[in-house]
Amino acid sequence: MVYDGILLSLLVGFFRGGSLKGLANMKLRGGWLFPLLLAVQFVIFALQDKVAIIGKLSNVLFLLVYVIGLFFLWLNRNQPGFIVIFAGVLLNFIVMAVNGGRMPVSIEAAQFLGSEYIDALKAGTYGKHQAITSDTLLPFLGDIIPLSPPYPRRQVISIGDVVMNVGAFFFIQHLMLSAPNKNTSVAPASK
């Protein structure tokens, strides 16, 4: 979902006359942490079914990624939108932490994702996610919001995902619209 929000932010930024040059001017403290955390998540996803110890510890590893991510966001809290992103990530972290390191997903909201996904959720074999049950704590913070056509991708998201995307939107708009405009060059003086 975050990637969808980033893409939408970029499109709106272009529509508003913004430029990608503003992204080049981005200055984040600990900026190397974000791509590292993404890479770690991809490695966990790729290896959790192949390497037993990663599969067994994946919930703890995902929570650790969130803790480091929250630290990174807090370091950059003065950036436009970062407090909002922090709040969204914190909501997701809280619901995952109180439910054993997995994001609870509503089976009803996820029905359109297919029986294989639902079966994996119910069996508890889907890496970062698990089905909401009567034992789930704070289920309203889980993935309960279904997105389907006309939305371009079928998925189920959380309130935290929505909040994160709002913050990312503000941040990207700020960057794109703060870039120097290419049409502001000074015209040569006439003779």
Side-chain angles (χ1 to χ4, degrees), residues 12-188:
V12 171
F14 284 128
F15 181 74
R16 294 179 66 201
S19 168
L20 288 178
K21 290 178 183 175
L23 299 178
N25 296 330
M26 181 176 17
K27 291 180 178 43
L28 298 174
R29 294 176 64 192
W32 56 273
L33 283 171
F34 184 72
L36 176 66
L37 294 175
L38 283 178
V40 167
Q41 286 193 74
F42 285 129
V43 168
I44 296 168
F45 275 126
L47 298 180
Q48 66 188 354
D49 294 332
K50 297 174 179 80
V51 179
I53 190 72
I54 291 178
K56 186 175 181 175
L57 295 176
S58 64
N59 57 338
V60 174
L61 295 172
F62 283 125
L63 288 176
L64 183 59
V65 166
Y66 268 79
V67 168
I68 296 169
L70 286 165
F71 173 72
F72 164 73
L73 292 167
W74 187 254
L75 279 177
N76 293 286
R77 64 190 177 278
N78 294 329
Q79 295 284 342
F82 264 60
I83 285 293
V84 178
I85 298 169
F86 180 89
V89 172
L90 183 61
L91 289 173
N92 284 349
F93 173 76
I94 289 169
V95 72
M96 289 175 69
V98 300
N99 288 291
R102 304 265 188 246
M103 174 60 84
V105 180
S106 165
I107 296 295
E108 293 79 20
Q111 285 299 317
F112 62 87
L113 295 176
S115 60
E116 288 179 12
Y117 181 76
I118 299 300
D119 292 343
L121 275 177
K122 288 179 179 177
T125 57
Y126 189 77
K128 190 177 172 183
H129 299 87
Q130 65 187 14
I132 291 177
T133 67
S134 59
D135 296 326
T136 301
L137 299 173
L138 306 174
F140 63 93
L141 291 179
D143 285 347
I144 60 168
I145 304 167
L147 296 178
S148 60
Y151 193 79
R153 289 191 325 138
R154 294 175 184 265
Q155 56 187 317
V156 182
I157 63 171
S158 68
I159 293 168
D161 293 335
V162 174
V163 173
M164 272 190 290
N165 276 284
V166 169
F169 181 85
F170 288 137
F171 180 61
I172 291 171
Q173 293 304 294
H174 167 76
L175 290 175
M176 289 185 74
L177 297 173
S178 66
N181 190 338
K182 60 184 171 197
N183 296 327
T184 59
S185 57
V186 178

